[in-house]
Amino acid sequence: MSDGFLTRKKTILVALNSDTPDKSPKGYVDEPLLPLIVLINNHQDYVTTSSCSGRICTYLEGIESEAEEEGGETGTSIDTKEEEKENQEDKEDDETIKGYDENTSLAAVEAAKRAKGGQWLYVSHDPVVFPDQSSDHPRWIVDTLFGPEAHRVVLMEDQHKAGMRTIDMARSQLVYFKFEPMILHIEAATPVAAKTFLNHSLFSGYRNSGILPSVKRTMLAIRSTLKLDAPIAYIPSSTSSSSTTAGTTTDEGKIYLMVSLSYLRVLIDLSNDKFKMNVAQMARFEERLTKHLLNAENSTITKKVGDQGGEWEDAEARKERKRREGMMKQEETARARAEKKQAAAEAAAAEAARKAAAEAEATTDKPATSS
């Protein structure tokens, strides 16, 4: 465990326990994640650096300038381009590391995207609440999902009435409806600790999790497959360069729905269901971490440093790791066998019921014999 990790963890924990708002627009950690974050940060080998408990949102993508689309300034040599690319990658990596150091949330990353031309029209960390029938009206979904830009939205039926022409969708700005499940960014003290945590994450259903490449530290991203992402509207490409006259907005500034209001309702219903699945998955994850990783008996063993500076395991440490891995494998195998046995029993019961019903029907349909 390096001194750098301990220093960063101490700084993050001080910030989390402070009354001062963090750098995210919300200014604080999502409440549903607090038990899990406390659990992880109480372990000596891990510290959370950013998080999101899950959200429904709509996003208007940015659009590249012509210079960016054409490859930048003319006359630039290949070597210079490669050098600029490397410098940009180094800059982005430094900004990412800085974000981890300051414990900024994912919302800070979103703010950076917005500065490049994109715009978050709607963000909610809770399921969407449908209005009462008395207050319901055809455009309430548009007002909710498009927020300050709702007045620019043209419904599909209105487009048909106006006889809208075919638009080049590939060159248009798109608006996306998104459901994004819980995501955690975690720094681990060692690569071995990161791998152990990753294994528990995968067993808990977070199949999109992985260890992030970094020279300076060992980072984890914990993500599930509950994501939903669909384009729902567009702005024609001509509007990006259009101007207004006398302070009035032309029709080119409109946002055209690609789907019906009923389809938007379906997306919201699906996302609300995914919210429930997301919360249940978080609970299972917390239970597994408590049982297998984050208690005193099964805490990650600190690795020793060999003569060459690399990490190594002595016989006792290796034996303990193998024991834990064996228990995990046995647990998963036993669960799989139980599920298979239950499925076979249910299939046999269904087959027996089918045969009994068939025999009963045959008996009923059999003609009576005359005496």
Side-chain angles (χ1 to χ4, degrees):
M1 186 182 304
S2 67
D3 293 338
F5 170 79
L6 294 176
T7 300
R8 289 188 295 272
K9 179 169 182 175
K10 181 179 179 180
T11 301
I12 289 173
L13 294 184
V14 169
L16 282 174
N17 294 323
S18 172
D19 294 333
T20 304
D22 60 34
K23 295 182 180 295
S24 68
K26 285 184 65 176
Y28 52 88
V29 176
D30 294 341
E31 185 175 350
L33 269 178
L34 281 175
L36 191 58
I37 287 178
V38 170
L39 189 63
I40 294 171
N41 289 335
N42 280 341
H43 193 283
Q44 62 178 357
D45 287 343
Y46 307 105
V47 63
T48 58
T49 61
S50 65
S51 62
C52 178
S53 61
R55 63 187 181 178
I56 294 176
C57 52
T58 50
Y59 177 70
L60 170 61
E61 66 180 2
I63 188 167
E64 294 181 345
S65 65
E66 293 183 2
E68 290 174 334
E69 292 177 350
E70 294 173 1
E73 190 174 345
T74 58
T76 303
S77 66
I78 296 177
D79 292 340
T80 304
K81 286 183 178 180
E82 290 298 325
E83 183 178 1
E84 290 177 352
K85 181 179 179 181
E86 292 178 1
N87 291 337
Q88 180 64 23
E89 290 175 348
D90 291 340
K91 181 179 179 181
E92 292 176 354
D93 184 64
D94 290 341
E95 290 176 351
T96 302
I97 297 299
K98 181 180 179 182
Y100 291 144
D101 288 338
E102 297 176 349
N103 194 34
T104 54
S105 70
L106 297 181
V109 179
E110 297 161 8
K113 291 181 180 179
R114 185 167 60 251
K116 295 181 180 180
Q119 180 181 358
W120 294 93
L121 304 177
Y122 172 76
V123 178
S124 173
H125 294 272
D126 298 297
V128 176
V129 178
F130 292 96
D132 298 331
Q133 292 295 328
S134 58
S135 62
D136 194 7
H137 59 89
R139 286 184 62 100
W140 77 266
I141 294 181
V142 173
D143 293 338
T144 299
L145 297 183
F146 289 83
E149 306 300 328
H151 65 283
R152 298 171 55 191
V153 176
V154 181
L155 305 183
M156 285 192 68
E157 51 266 33
D158 294 335
Q159 297 176 43
H160 294 316
K161 292 176 183 177
M164 298 300 295
R165 61 185 177 85
T166 303
I167 303 297
D168 183 4
M169 303 300 292
R171 297 181 60 83
S172 301
Q173 276 182 280
L174 297 179
V175 178
Y176 289 90
F177 177 96
K178 298 172 177 283
F179 172 79
E180 297 177 339
M182 184 212 79
I183 181 170
L184 278 173
H185 284 147
I186 299 169
E187 181 177 355
T190 65
V192 174
K195 184 177 179 180
T196 301
F197 197 99
L198 177 61
N199 288 338
H200 288 293
S201 302
L202 296 175
F203 279 126
S204 300
Y206 292 95
R207 303 298 183 185
N208 283 352
S209 300
I211 298 176
L212 303 176
S214 175
V215 177
K216 300 179 181 179
R217 63 198 63 181
T218 305
M219 298 299 305
L220 285 153
I222 310 302
R223 296 171 292 207
S224 75
T225 58
L226 294 176
K227 186 177 178 66
L228 177 64
D229 200 335
I232 59 174
Y234 67 94
I235 301 177
S237 57
S238 59
T239 63
S240 61
S241 59
S242 63
S243 59
T244 58
T245 303
T248 60
T249 304
T250 64
D251 185 63
E252 291 181 336
K254 297 295 184 180
I255 301 175
Y256 297 98
L257 274 182
M258 300 163 56
V259 297
S260 64
L261 294 179
S262 60
Y263 184 77
L264 291 179
R265 173 71 182 253
V266 170
L267 290 178
I268 293 175
D269 284 334
L270 289 173
S271 297
N272 284 348
D273 289 341
K274 287 180 179 291
F275 255 119
K276 297 177 183 178
M277 299 167 63
N278 183 56
V279 171
Q281 192 173 48
M282 288 168 55
R284 292 194 300 270
F285 189 35
E286 181 180 347
E287 181 181 0
R288 183 178 185 88
L289 292 181
T290 302
K291 181 178 179 180
H292 293 284
L293 180 66
L294 301 177
N295 54 45
E297 180 182 356
N298 293 325
S299 61
T300 304
I301 298 173
T302 303
K303 301 300 177 181
K304 298 181 180 181
V305 179
D307 296 336
Q308 304 301 322
E311 293 180 348
W312 63 282
E313 293 176 302
D314 57 24
E316 183 179 354
R318 185 174 185 276
K319 181 179 179 180
E320 176 62 19
R321 178 173 60 82
K322 290 292 186 181
R323 183 187 71 83
R324 293 200 310 272
E325 292 176 353
M327 290 178 62
M328 290 170 56
K329 187 174 182 180
Q330 289 176 8
E331 178 185 342
E332 296 301 323
T333 302
R335 183 183 296 117
R337 287 177 177 174
E339 292 176 353
K340 185 177 180 180
K341 184 177 181 180
Q342 181 179 357
E346 292 176 353
E351 179 64 18
R354 186 190 65 79
K355 289 182 178 180
E359 291 175 357
E361 183 179 357
T363 303
T364 302
D365 294 341
K366 185 176 180 181
T369 58
S370 58
S371 58

